[in-house]
Amino acid sequence: MLARETPLGLPHICWPVGGSVIKVTLHLCRNKIGELARLLATRAKAVHGIDSDPDIVSRARELTAQAAPVTFTVADAPAGIPPGPYDIITCVATVHHLTFTDALTHFREHLAPGGTLVVVGLSRETTLGDHLLSCTSIPLNAAMGWIKNKGRRAPRPDSMTARTRAAEMSFSDIVREARQVLPGVRLRRRLFWRYTLVWRDGSCERGLR
């Protein structure tokens, strides 16, 4: 299993050739009310979604079919992550709420051999490049909202009721710390104030597990 990123910065999961089924997936997300967890469930035998907000978890359960192989748990990451290991761990707009290095270490320890970690995170603007990307993102963000809602005013989605926190780490700090914890990690700066981090555990290939 690999992960690739779209130009807009949202990761797409590329499933193994031949239609292999992912066994267990862990998803951490502070928005979209379980949308990605349900998507992952179309190819995974089991998906575990966690969030620290009981209201968000309750709404995610309501929107998920009972027959879907998805469970949602109220828990604080990373200490509250259910025992793994997991073939995939996805973390969307969440890691900046956590202690970065500690979170990546926990994710790495919960991955199965050969498993993949995919993070979509936020970084603090510090460079000219950061500010230029932000200026580009503002009209694109408005345009995508207009297209999605077909020009109509839309009520505020439930996913936007979750508690928020401003990013404190710059992208260069994120790259430096991530490389210390996850050798070979791939990071890319994205539009819409995001970056992507993708890391595949190679310990089984090196014979370490």
Side-chain angles (χ1 to χ4, degrees), residues 59-94:
R59 184 61 176 148
R61 289 170 176 162
E62 291 175 6
L63 294 173
T64 303
Q66 291 186 356
V70 183
T71 59
F72 292 100
T73 303
V74 178
D76 290 318
I81 294 177
Y86 298 97
D87 298 292
I88 303 172
I89 295 178
T90 60
C91 181
V92 180
T94 301

Side-chain angles (χ1 to χ4, degrees), residues 42-56:
T42 63
R43 292 299 298 271
K45 290 184 176 179
V47 177
H48 301 300
I50 70 171
D51 194 289
S52 61
D53 190 322
D55 292 334
I56 294 294

Side-chain angles (χ1 to χ4, degrees), residues 26-29 89-95 98 107 117-121:
L26 175 72
H27 174 56
L28 301 90
C29 184
I89 295 178
T90 60
C91 181
V92 180
T94 301
V95 76
L98 314 174
F107 296 157
L117 169 66
V118 179
V119 174
V120 179

Side-chain angles (χ1 to χ4, degrees), residues 125 130-140 193:
E125 297 174 348
D130 294 337
H131 293 292
L132 288 174
L133 274 176
S134 292
C135 291
T136 304
S137 296
I138 291 171
L140 285 175
W193 309 278

Side-chain angles (χ1 to χ4, degrees), residues 26-179:
L26 175 72
H27 174 56
L28 301 90
C29 184
R30 295 206 56 77
N31 56 18
K32 297 297 184 183
I33 313 297
E35 183 178 316
L36 181 53
R38 290 188 290 273
L39 176 62
L40 291 168
T42 63
R43 292 299 298 271
K45 290 184 176 179
V47 177
H48 301 300
I50 70 171
D51 194 289
S52 61
D53 190 322
D55 292 334
I56 294 294
V57 170
S58 177
R59 184 61 176 148
R61 289 170 176 162
E62 291 175 6
L63 294 173
T64 303
Q66 291 186 356
V70 183
T71 59
F72 292 100
T73 303
V74 178
D76 290 318
I81 294 177
Y86 298 97
D87 298 292
I88 303 172
I89 295 178
T90 60
C91 181
V92 180
T94 301
V95 76
H96 67 287
H97 290 263
L98 314 174
T99 302
F100 186 71
T101 302
D102 184 46
L104 294 188
T105 300
H106 274 77
F107 296 157
R108 182 190 66 200
E109 293 172 348
H110 281 77
L111 274 178
T116 298
L117 169 66
V118 179
V119 174
V120 179
L122 304 173
S123 60
R124 179 170 57 88
E125 297 174 348
T126 57
T127 67
L128 176 60
D130 294 337
H131 293 292
L132 288 174
L133 274 176
S134 292
C135 291
T136 304
S137 296
I138 291 171
L140 285 175
N141 191 49
M144 289 192 68
W146 188 88
I147 293 171
K148 180 179 179 181
N149 298 311
K150 299 179 180 179
R152 300 188 297 265
R153 287 184 63 88
R156 189 182 188 191
D158 292 336
S159 60
M160 294 184 67
T161 63
R163 296 186 301 273
T164 61
R165 177 181 176 181
E168 297 179 354
M169 296 179 67
S170 68
F171 184 69
S172 60
D173 291 336
I174 290 166
V175 171
R176 184 182 65 255
E177 293 193 19
R179 287 175 175 170

